Amino acid sequence: MPVAGPESQDINSGTSQSGPQYAFVKLTADIVKQVEEFGPAAIVATFGDNRPPPEIRFGIGDVVSVSIFEAAAGGLFIPSEAGVRPGNFVTLPNEPVDTAGNITVPYAGAIKAADRTPAQVEQEIVNAIKNRAIEPQVVVALTTQNTSLISVLGEVNTPSRFPAQPAGEHILDAITRGGGIKDQGYDSWVVLERRGKRAAMPFGSLVYQPENNIWVWPGDTVYVYQEPQTFLAFGASGQQGQFNFGAWRVTLAEAVGKAGGLLDVQADPASVYLYRREPRELAEKIGIDCSKFVGPTVPVVYNVNFRDPGGYFLGTKFQIRNKDVIFAANAPSVEIAKFLQFVQVMINTGNDAVVTGTNVQLYRLYAHTKSY
């Protein structure tokens, strides 16, 4: 018989004839809690490093200043004449780090600066002049930062590339420095790219799951784009199709409501299903035998029983994720009604044929009688 999808007993069996195998899970309060605690943590899973960013290092093109102090006048850089300068130090002209990664210091020669911290450069200069200067001390400062930059691009009010802060900053801090997102953020996604690795997640996940708001590092790129989060609804719901979240988060109960609810004359409220791929770690945590599944994700079909009054409480706690599929199965009586309707059509078709044949015979008899 025609049907909008699989029957509930086929889904409950946990087997597929032609598609990938899946795990069947009935929603309980414990399952809902574990799924909620796990949550989508794409950025944390990809980068997995919550440490503050490394100390800023000089790079080719950075402009640095060098000040050299001596303990007394009459040394390498400080004249012996008193009153020549306000202190026993000399500040060299600002100098960019050249393409070889070096800066040049008088009497010390070429000093490697690229990929080094100020303290490391200071120590090398001291080592180079300590036998000629009087107890030298050196201060190296970053005057113009042309490397160690963070880029914030896309759907922000002020896309820009700015120097990394020595104290460090998080993803939301970087987006704020880029002027903030252009809208309320319901449909915004954030991509973090670092050293060839990339991860994306909804902007709301940075707000509702602070563990995803990790530190940005020098050289990172933060890209914000808009793509509405959606879910699909099929079967015995009031409407079928693709629906936008239109909010930070949407629960299963809200999603069913967005799709027009369940049809009173068709749906089986005990057979509402949600299709989703879950991370392998979460699948094992909720008791799924993952030995028959290959790959980092496991296809899972969740079943919520809205015939049970408590099922609605579970539905209001279970969060929908982007690209989820909701299917409401028909009640068994609907299939029986379809069959009886089909039988009725067959009977009516036969009756129509009999009536038509009888009418033809009567017409012929009438025509024959009239001819006499």
Side-chain angles (χ1 to χ4, degrees):
M1 303 302 296
V3 67
E7 296 183 359
S8 57
Q9 61 264 30
D10 295 330
I11 301 175
N12 296 346
S13 68
T15 59
S16 174
Q17 296 180 358
S18 57
Q21 298 302 311
Y22 61 90
F24 179 77
V25 177
K26 283 186 173 291
L27 274 188
T28 63
D30 184 60
I31 294 294
V32 171
K33 181 180 179 181
Q34 292 188 63
V35 173
E36 183 180 13
E37 289 176 350
F38 191 86
I43 287 182
V44 171
T46 300
F47 296 101
D49 194 343
N50 295 320
R51 295 175 301 174
E55 188 176 359
I56 294 177
R57 296 171 179 266
F58 296 131
I60 295 174
D62 284 343
V63 179
V64 301
S65 67
V66 178
S67 296
I68 302 175
F69 294 77
E70 293 188 83
L76 183 61
F77 294 96
I78 310 303
S80 57
E81 295 84 0
V84 173
R85 59 185 70 248
N88 293 334
F89 71 92
V90 60
T91 299
L92 303 180
N94 292 344
E95 182 180 0
V97 179
D98 62 24
T99 54
N102 300 325
I103 59 173
T104 301
V105 177
Y107 305 106
I111 300 295
K112 183 70 174 178
D115 200 33
R116 284 185 168 184
T117 64
Q120 291 172 327
V121 176
E122 291 168 359
Q123 187 59 50
E124 182 165 344
I125 296 174
V126 168
N127 292 338
I129 64 174
K130 63 183 180 180
N131 293 328
R132 306 179 67 182
I134 302 174
E135 299 180 19
Q137 294 187 18
V138 178
V139 175
V140 177
L142 181 60
T143 303
T144 304
Q145 189 173 339
N146 294 320
T147 62
S148 298
L149 305 178
I150 296 172
S151 300
V152 178
L153 311 172
E155 296 297 317
V156 293
N157 290 305
T158 313
S160 59
R161 195 169 182 231
F162 44 78
Q165 296 284 358
E169 53 198 326
H170 295 85
I171 297 177
L172 289 178
D173 299 324
I175 293 175
T176 301
R177 291 180 70 184
I181 57 176
K182 288 185 177 180
D183 61 6
Q184 293 180 316
Y186 298 155
D187 300 330
S188 297
W189 288 73
V190 177
V191 178
L192 177 64
E193 183 173 358
R194 176 185 298 165
R195 299 177 181 176
K197 297 172 67 176
R198 182 183 297 109
M201 70 183 320
F203 177 78
S205 295
L206 299 175
V207 178
Y208 287 101
Q209 295 175 288
E211 65 270 18
N212 289 312
N213 187 28
I214 64 174
W215 297 92
V216 289
W217 287 18
D220 282 358
T221 297
V222 178
Y223 175 62
V224 180
Y225 69 96
Q226 290 192 355
E227 178 183 312
Q229 295 189 79
T230 61
F231 66 92
L232 298 173
F234 298 105
S237 57
Q239 302 177 53
Q240 293 81 42
Q242 185 181 63
F243 300 88
N244 293 342
F245 279 23
W248 291 103
R249 297 184 293 182
V250 175
T251 65
L252 177 57
E254 290 171 330
V256 172
K258 275 180 171 286
L262 303 178
L263 294 177
D264 184 62
V265 298
Q266 182 179 347
D268 178 6
S271 300
V272 178
Y273 303 95
L274 184 138
Y275 289 69
R276 172 191 295 171
R277 285 187 174 272
E278 294 287 21
R280 197 177 191 89
E281 180 184 351
L282 174 60
E284 293 174 346
K285 187 177 180 181
I286 61 178
I288 296 174
D289 179 11
C290 297
S291 60
K292 61 181 179 180
F293 300 104
V294 179
T297 60
V298 175
V300 179
V301 177
Y302 293 101
N303 170 225
V304 59
N305 182 4
F306 283 142
R307 189 180 295 278
D308 179 359
Y312 285 91
F313 290 105
L314 297 178
T316 57
K317 295 291 290 183
F318 194 77
Q319 298 294 325
I320 293 291
R321 295 183 190 163
N322 191 40
K323 308 304 180 185
D324 278 354
V325 177
I326 298 173
F327 176 72
N330 289 339
S333 60
V334 173
E335 305 308 318
I336 297 175
K338 286 182 181 179
F339 175 73
L340 293 177
Q341 185 178 12
F342 175 73
V343 172
Q344 184 65 39
V345 170
M346 296 296 293
I347 293 174
N348 290 341
T349 301
N351 287 340
D352 290 344
V354 171
V355 171
T356 301
T358 301
N359 290 340
V360 170
Q361 292 297 328
L362 290 174
Y363 176 77
R364 288 178 177 175
L365 179 61
Y366 171 77
H368 179 73
T369 303
K370 190 175 181 180
S371 63
Y372 290 100

